[in-house]
Amino acid sequence: MVAKLPDQSAEDYQRGLGTRQIQMLAIGGTIGTGLFLGAGENIAKAGPSLILTYAVAGLALFFVMRALGELLTYRRAEGGFAGYAREFLGPFWGYATTWTYWIIWVTTGMAELTAAGKYIQKWRPEVEQWQTALVALVVLFVVNLISVKLFGELEFWFAMIKVAAIVMMILVGLGVLIFGFSDAGETARVGNLWDHGGVFPEGYGATIMTLQMVMFAYLGVELVGVTASEAKDPEKNIPRAINALPLRFALFYLGSLLVILAVVPWTAFKGGASPFVLAFDKIGIPGGGDIVNFVVLTAALSSCNAGGLYSTSRMLRTAGVNGDGPKALGRLNGRGVPMLTVVISALVMGIGVIVNAVVPEKAFEYITSVSTGGALLVWTVILVAHMIYRRRSSAGELPKSPYRMPWAPYTNWAVLAFFAFVTVTIAWEADTRIALYVMAIWVVLILIGWPFVRRASQGERVRVAVAEESTSA
């Protein structure tokens, strides 16, 4: 058995994220506009069967996270899963994973900024979308520059607001179903889950076609892997956060949708309205629409904060540290923050502000499909890297992690097959097929950039070897 490899530059980060912040970061990454807004359109497409889609997708993502958790407890790597892609699949895959994850969250951040602009218009219709997007981007940019502790604290409270709103929705909905109060009257009953055409009212095909947006709703669950380098006691906190995922998925996704669809018949969502807003309106809570609008606003800001700026800046720093980009990207300031990469990610996300000013209508739908396509690639890399690690650790070449993925490698192959199926559904519809075109272009760009990155990396290794030789002489 070989010795455990050291962490790659993880000691340069501040260990500013505690247990509660890691837990809430995992929640904050997965509860966003995909649930608060996207679920309404999917209910209109598939009815109550959407709950089953969320359950299947959640199970698949839990196994992805168990695979990542085993890798993280074997050895913490700079940039999380990109480091494992480099170690087990080769330098090209480390480079490709780093830049792919960066572009996923940069584009998703643009979509969240767009959503924030739309939410503000409910209260201030005279404020244009791009103005809100710009203010939100600047505020989150400043927060991410100050310190990881402040970032973690802000994300903690963002996530708390979302969790409180969902729990309140569930409790109020249960009260309506059990005690019969509210304006929903006799229309609120558990039978709504099957009385209006059955569980699959639009057929199995319609249910399958909701997979793209459902997978987008789970995008961000892998953020635990990015935070590993800045986590206190990661050997204990990371497995704890991952083990709690099934309960979170069951409560926040399945629980909220079950209650909403029991209180409000799925047929009321034909216009694709936000399920939370519609449910509160039906129940008749004073100011319910404003409350939910505030919640979805914080959801968008939370996703932009955790994924759009935090994770993208860390992935860019990985590119600098590992030779997948200019060396300057690897620098940290005196507070342990990768300032240059935060600035670059914020500037690129600023393109979303321009898009808001020019063509605000279809950006969100296209971007979410592109993000889902990229996420499937990243999740696939995690599973494949884990299979190689498990094979090498079983052969005694590497130390075994104390936190093991159940039933590997069979679960790896099952989830990979599921991801392939989701990719087929993305290609099936014209509105989401654009994601495959964009990802094809992205693959070409990655391939074009690789020779330059490899040449620069080889040159750096030669310079280091020469410097070490002259020093020893």
Side-chain angles (χ1 to χ4, degrees), residues 18-36 65 105 112 151-152 154-167 216-225 227 237-238 240-253 295 298-304 306-307:
T19 303
R20 69 183 178 91
Q21 292 168 330
I22 293 174
Q23 296 273 359
M24 282 300 176
L25 185 61
I27 297 173
T30 54
I31 302 176
T33 53
L35 174 63
F36 285 119
M65 289 306 299
W105 274 106
E112 302 294 355
F151 156 80
L154 181 62
E155 185 58 29
F156 173 82
W157 289 108
F158 273 157
M160 280 291 290
I161 292 171
K162 290 186 284 189
V163 170
I166 293 177
V167 171
F216 173 75
Y218 282 112
L219 177 60
V221 67
E222 73 291 327
L223 281 174
V224 172
T227 64
N237 290 332
I238 289 174
R240 184 181 297 168
I242 293 173
N243 288 338
L245 285 176
L247 179 60
R248 291 182 191 139
F249 291 165
L251 176 65
F252 301 132
Y253 289 95
V295 171
T298 60
L301 295 177
S302 171
S303 181
C304 187

Side-chain angles (χ1 to χ4, degrees), residues 117-420:
K118 291 182 178 179
Y119 299 147
I120 289 295
Q121 285 184 330
K122 176 179 172 61
W123 297 314
R124 299 291 299 274
E126 73 277 7
V127 177
E128 296 188 29
Q129 282 182 204
W130 71 266
Q131 294 173 326
T132 299
L134 178 61
V135 172
L137 178 60
V138 170
V139 170
L140 296 178
F141 166 70
V142 172
V143 167
N144 274 266
L145 278 185
I146 295 174
S147 74
V148 68
K149 186 174 182 180
L150 179 59
F151 156 80
E153 198 62 31
L154 181 62
E155 185 58 29
F156 173 82
W157 289 108
F158 273 157
M160 280 291 290
I161 292 171
K162 290 186 284 189
V163 170
I166 293 177
V167 171
M168 181 176 66
M169 175 70 248
I170 293 174
L171 293 177
V172 171
L174 289 175
V176 171
L177 294 170
I178 296 171
F179 302 108
F181 63 82
S182 87
D183 293 344
E186 296 182 0
T187 60
R189 62 183 187 279
V190 177
N192 284 329
L193 296 172
W194 56 80
D195 280 349
H196 302 274
V199 176
F200 296 88
E202 300 291 344
Y204 299 110
T207 302
I208 290 172
M209 297 313 296
T210 64
L211 278 170
Q212 180 269 316
M213 183 59 75
V214 169
M215 297 304 290
F216 173 75
Y218 282 112
L219 177 60
V221 67
E222 73 291 327
L223 281 174
V224 172
V226 181
T227 64
S229 295
E230 295 174 80
K232 297 175 182 176
D233 197 6
E235 289 79 8
K236 184 198 309 182
N237 290 332
I238 289 174
R240 184 181 297 168
I242 293 173
N243 288 338
L245 285 176
L247 179 60
R248 291 182 191 139
F249 291 165
L251 176 65
F252 301 132
Y253 289 95
L254 308 185
S256 60
L257 290 175
L258 277 169
V259 171
I260 286 173
L261 289 174
V263 172
V264 183
W266 77 271
T267 51
F269 292 88
K270 286 300 183 183
S274 168
F276 287 81
V277 172
L278 187 57
F280 272 83
D281 284 343
K282 290 287 185 181
I283 292 171
I285 296 177
D290 289 333
I291 294 172
V292 175
N293 197 60
F294 174 74
V295 171
V296 295
L297 173 61
T298 60
L301 295 177
S302 171
S303 181
C304 187
N305 185 40
L309 283 175
Y310 177 86
S311 67
T312 57
S313 62
R314 270 57 181 180
M315 296 305 285
L316 270 190
R317 184 184 181 243
T318 300
V321 170
N322 291 335
D324 293 331
K327 192 175 180 180
L329 296 176
R331 295 173 185 164
L332 297 173
N333 65 13
R335 294 181 296 276
V337 174
M339 183 173 71
L340 178 60
T341 61
V342 173
V343 171
I344 292 173
S345 292
L347 288 175
V348 176
M349 284 175 61
I351 296 173
V353 177
I354 298 173
V355 173
N356 269 309
V358 180
V359 280
E361 294 305 319
K362 284 210 166 186
F364 188 79
E365 182 179 1
Y366 289 157
I367 288 172
T368 55
S369 61
V370 171
S371 297
T372 303
L376 290 172
L377 289 176
V378 170
W379 294 333
T380 296
V381 167
I382 292 172
L383 290 170
V384 175
H386 172 263
M387 285 194 291
I388 296 173
Y389 160 71
R390 177 63 75 88
R391 186 170 65 243
R392 291 177 60 185
S393 64
S394 297
E397 299 174 16
L398 294 173
K400 292 185 177 180
S401 167
Y403 185 66
R404 310 274 283 177
M405 178 183 177
W407 309 302
Y410 306 108
T411 41
N412 297 67
W413 286 113
V415 176
L416 287 173
F418 174 69
F419 287 167

